[in-house]
Amino acid sequence: MDPLILGVISIFVLFFLLALRIPIAVVLLLIGLLGNAYLVGWKASLGILGMVPFTNISNFILTCIPLFILMGMFISVSGLLRDIYSSGYSWLGHLPGGLAHATIVACTGFAAVCGSGIAAAATMGTATLPEMSRYKYDARLATGSVAGGSTLGIIIPPSIPLIVYGVLTETSIGKVLVAGVVPGLLCAALFMGMIYFWAKRNPAIAPPGPRSGWKERFVSLKGTSPVIIIFLLVIGGIYAGFFTPTEAAAVGAFGSFILALSRGRMTWKGLFTALEQTGRTTCMIFLIIIGAMLYMHFLALTYLPMELADFVAGLPFSRHVILTLILVLFILMGCVLDIVGLLVLLLPIVFPVVKGLGFDPIWFGVIVTLTGAMALITPPVGLCAYALSGVAKDVPLGVVFKGILPFFLIQMASLIILVAFPEITLFLPRLMG
Amino acid sequence: MEKTIQSVSRWTNGIGLCALGIMVLVVTGDVVGRYFGFPVPGAFELNELLIVVLIGLGLAYTQAEKGNVAVGILVDRFSPRTQAFFDCLASVAGLIIAILLVWQTFLHGMMSLRAGEITCALQIPLFPFKFLIAFGALMWAFELIVELVRSTSNLRGPTKG
C-alpha cells in the first residue's frame, strides 16, 4: 500500500477508535505502533515504542508542565482569587453589570498565574455566583461571565495548552507564552465591553451595586499585589530572558507556595491535594504527548503531512480561505474534544499546512488556543461549563449554555480580530531576543 | 489482589509526588543560587530524572483515578451493559499497549545498563530510570487488568454503584 494512503486511512481509524471511548493516548500509541510496523517492520517499530517514553519524559523543557500546574494549584489554595474579585468589585461594582465585571477581572488575574480554565470555573463559581444571585443578577449573565472568564486561563500565560503546542510544533515555548498576553487581555476587555452594553440595555438583569470610595479601592489593590508580583516575576522573567520557562515555573510554584503559607491557607491536606492533582494531570498530559510523538513519527514516515502541505499551498485559493476552514474544523472538533486533544489530533496534519501557507507558528499557537478556549464552553462537552454547573446546582445546564452564547460570540470576534491583525499577537514576542 | 495493586500504586504515586516537590526545590535553588554565584550542580539533569520518577510512578494511579481522557460523546449514550462492553474494549487496547511497553522499555533499560549510559554533569547512571518506566508500565498493566475484570463482571450482571 502507498504510505500516503496508509496515512489517510490511519486518520479515519484514529477517529473511529476515539469514538469507541478508548483513551486518546492509547489510540495514538496503538496506531503509531501498527503504522510504524507496516512501514519499517515489527522489530524497528517495537524498538521505537521502547525508546519514545523515556526520550519524551526526560526533557528539561517539558518539566515546566507539572511546575506550572502546581503553581496554579497553590494559587487556588491561597484564596487569592477572592481578593482580586473584591478589588475588581470595589472599582467596577457601581457600573452596569458590576459583579460580572469583577468576575472577569478576577478570572483575568487568575489566568495570569494559572494555566488551566477548569479550576477557575469551579473556584470562581463558588465565590461569585451566590453574590450575583443575592443582587438578583440574571442567571444567564452570572454563569456566562464565570464560564467565559474562566476560559482566559488557557490564553493568558502561563498556559498548559500553549506549552503543549510549543512542544508538538517545536516552537519556542517562551515566545508562544508571551504571545498569549495581549490576545488574552483583548478578549477580557471585549467580554467586559459586552457585559457593559448588555447590562446597560437591560438594567434588570444586572442591577448596579453601591459605589465604593477611593480609599477602599486603593486598599483593595493591596490584596491583588501578589498576583501582579508573581506574574511579573514569571512571565516578565521569561520575557526578559532571565529565566527559561521551566525555571520560571519552578520559581512561580515556590513563590505561590510561600504565598499560600504566609496567608495561613496552606494545610497539609491542601498541599497533598495540590501535589496529587498536579501529578494526575501531568501523567495524563505526558501519556498523550508520548502517544502524539509516536503517531507523528509514523505520519512523518508516510509523507502525508508534507505532501498535504504542498498540495494545499498549490491550491488556487487565498490562504485565508484555507485558514478559515482549518479554524472551523478546530471549533467544530472542539465541541467533542478538549484543547489538548485538539492539539495532538489536529496539529500533526494541520501545522505543516499552516506553516506551508506562510503563517507565523507563534501566532497560530495563540489562535488555536483561542479555539481551545471556545471548546471549553461549547456544548455538548464544554468542560468549563460542566465544572461550573457542578458548583451552581440550582442553575440548569441549558441556562448555563444560553448564558455562554454571547461570550462565545465575543471569542469568535476576538478570533477574527487576531486573524485580521496578526501584529496584536506578535509584537510582544518580536521584542524578545 | 485488587486491593494490593491499588495500595502499591497509591504508595508509588506518593513517591512520585515527592519527586515533584524536589523538582520545585532543585530548580528554584538553582535559580536563586545562580544569582549569588552558587548554582545547584546538575540541576538541569536532576530535573530530567525527577520527572521520570513522577510520571513513571504516577501512571497506574492516574489510570485508577480515571485520569486518562477519552471521547465519550457516543458511548455515553448507550446502556450500562453496552458501555461495559466498550470499557472492556478500552481496557484490552490499553493492556496490549501497556504490555508491549513493559517489554520494550525493559529492553531499552537493559541496553542502557550494558552501554553504561550516565548523565553528563553528575554521572548518574540512566538505567534505573529507564527501568522505572518499565515498572510504571507494569503497574499500569496491572491496573488495567483490575479494570478489565470489573467491566467483564458488569457485562454479565446488573451494575451496582
Side-chain angles (χ1 to χ4, degrees):
Chain A
M1 196 188 330
D2 188 332
L4 267 184
I5 297 172
L6 184 68
V8 175
I9 293 174
S10 81
I11 297 172
F12 285 102
V13 177
L14 182 83
F15 284 103
F16 175 71
L17 292 179
L18 281 179
L20 303 182
R21 210 168 71 181
I22 301 174
I24 295 178
V26 172
V27 172
L28 289 168
L29 284 167
L30 211 55
I31 294 182
L33 175 77
L34 292 174
N36 280 337
Y38 186 88
L39 293 174
V40 295
W42 273 104
K43 201 169 149 39
S45 176
L46 286 169
I48 299 166
L49 181 73
M51 211 172 62
V52 160
F54 187 85
T55 333
N56 288 295
I57 296 172
S58 182
N59 176 335
F60 187 74
I61 300 172
L62 289 187
T63 57
C64 74
I65 292 177
L67 296 173
F68 271 130
I69 298 175
L70 189 62
M71 170 175 152
M73 293 286 172
F74 285 153
I75 296 275
S76 301
V77 171
S78 74
L80 209 59
L81 198 53
R82 248 215 135 82
D83 285 1
I84 318 172
Y85 175 68
S86 42
S87 175
Y89 183 64
S90 70
W91 283 85
L92 303 166
H94 62 284
L95 292 174
L99 286 167
H101 288 300
T103 303
I104 300 292
V105 169
C107 285
T108 310
F110 194 57
V113 284
C114 175
S116 108
I118 298 156
T123 324
M124 273 318 282
T126 36
T128 72
L129 287 178
E131 208 130 336
M132 287 204 260
S133 98
R134 193 151 56 88
Y135 279 92
K136 307 240 173 322
Y137 269 51
D138 187 278
R140 282 172 306 165
L141 175 63
T143 51
S145 55
V146 177
S150 63
T151 66
L152 295 169
I154 63 169
I155 309 170
I156 299 177
S159 152
I160 302 304
L162 283 176
I163 297 168
V164 173
Y165 174 88
V167 171
L168 294 176
T169 62
E170 296 176 352
T171 310
S172 155
I173 290 176
K175 285 189 177 170
V176 179
L177 284 176
V178 168
V181 174
V182 180
L185 293 178
L186 171 79
C187 207
L190 291 177
F191 280 157
M192 291 173 71
M194 186 267 290
I195 292 170
Y196 183 84
F197 285 110
W198 192 4
K200 187 103 182 161
R201 240 189 53 189
N202 189 357
I205 62 160
R211 187 184 282 271
S212 315
W214 285 102
K215 187 160 170 252
E216 196 183 326
R217 288 180 181 176
F218 280 103
V219 170
S220 76
L221 281 185
K222 222 178 84 185
T224 64
S225 57
V227 167
I228 297 167
I229 294 170
I230 291 180
F231 179 75
L232 287 181
L233 184 70
V234 171
I235 303 302
I238 295 175
Y239 178 76
F242 188 63
F243 295 143
T244 64
T246 302
E247 290 166 344
V251 171
F254 188 75
S256 44
F257 174 74
I258 298 294
L259 173 74
L261 201 64
S262 69
R263 292 162 67 98
R265 295 298 186 95
M266 188 52 81
T267 56
W268 282 108
K269 191 169 172 280
L271 175 65
F272 183 75
T273 313
L275 285 170
E276 191 260 346
Q277 290 193 3
T278 305
R280 205 187 326 159
T281 314
T282 310
C283 284
M284 181 266 283
I285 293 175
F286 270 73
L287 200 57
I288 291 180
I289 290 179
I290 293 168
M293 290 298 177
L294 191 70
Y295 180 62
M296 276 160 65
H297 187 284
F298 155 67
L299 273 186
L301 287 179
T302 67
Y303 289 100
L304 178 65
M306 302 73 134
E307 293 280 341
L308 188 67
D310 282 348
F311 171 74
V312 173
L315 288 176
F317 308 122
S318 146
R319 60 183 193 146
H320 279 95
V321 173
I322 294 157
L323 180 75
T324 308
L325 291 177
I326 289 174
L327 292 180
V328 169
L329 178 71
F330 267 88
I331 293 169
L332 289 179
M333 300 280 295
C335 293
V336 291
L337 289 169
D338 74 332
I339 172 71
V340 176
L342 274 181
L343 293 177
V344 296
L345 296 177
L346 296 183
L347 280 183
I349 299 288
V350 162
F351 183 71
V353 171
V354 169
K355 216 174 158 193
L357 293 172
F359 289 108
D360 188 293
I362 294 172
W363 167 84
F364 188 63
V366 175
I367 297 292
V368 293
T369 305
L370 184 54
T371 66
M374 298 160 98
L376 281 172
I377 54 171
T378 42
V381 197
L383 292 174
C384 276
Y386 280 102
L388 180 66
S389 79
V391 292
K393 296 220 163 47
D394 50 333
V395 184
L397 193 58
V399 173
V400 175
F401 278 124
K402 259 194 203 125
I404 279 170
L405 183 67
F407 290 87
F408 176 78
L409 294 176
I410 290 291
Q411 288 177 328
M412 192 77 109
S414 319
L415 191 68
I416 293 168
I417 293 171
L418 294 177
V419 170
F421 305 102
E423 275 309 305
I424 296 175
T425 311
L426 288 173
F427 85 92
L428 210 52
R430 281 220 179 107
L431 291 174
M432 290 167 73
Chain B
M1 168 75 177
E2 187 179 334
K3 286 242 165 67
T4 325
I5 289 168
Q6 276 173 352
S7 76
V8 173
S9 70
R10 189 153 304 150
W11 271 102
T12 50
N13 184 55
I15 301 170
L17 297 182
C18 295
L20 174 60
I22 300 171
M23 274 165 72
V24 176
L25 297 179
V26 166
V27 182
T28 311
D30 183 47
V31 171
V32 176
R34 199 174 54 198
Y35 185 75
F36 293 106
F38 301 102
V40 175
F44 194 89
E45 53 191 51
L46 273 179
N47 216 32
E48 289 192 337
L49 296 178
L50 284 166
I51 190 160
V52 175
V53 179
L54 172 66
I55 307 285
L57 295 180
L59 266 185
Y61 182 77
T62 306
Q63 179 69 38
E65 295 289 316
K66 304 263 171 291
N68 286 327
V69 220
V71 183
I73 181 89
L74 189 67
V75 175
D76 286 353
R77 283 154 211 267
F78 296 159
S79 73
R81 216 40 193 279
T82 323
Q83 289 200 30
F85 169 74
F86 284 103
D87 286 339
C88 289
L89 200 68
S91 303
V92 170
L95 202 53
I96 294 171
I97 284 297
I99 291 170
L100 291 176
L101 272 178
V102 175
W103 175 33
Q104 290 301 322
T105 50
F106 179 78
L107 289 184
H108 190 61
M110 284 304 284
M111 246 158 38
S112 173
L113 174 62
R114 259 186 250 121
E117 267 184 299
I118 49 174
T119 62
C120 302
L122 298 177
Q123 313 209 320
I124 303 170
L126 282 184
F127 75 89
F129 297 92
K130 297 198 166 176
F131 282 139
L132 196 95
I133 294 195
F135 172 75
L138 184 70
M139 287 305 299
W140 184 34
F142 278 130
E143 198 63 62
L144 284 163
I145 292 173
V146 170
E147 272 175 31
L148 183 61
V149 171
R150 199 182 305 142
S151 1
T152 3
S153 69
N154 285 346
L155 203 57
R156 274 195 231 104
T159 43
K160 272 185 197 141

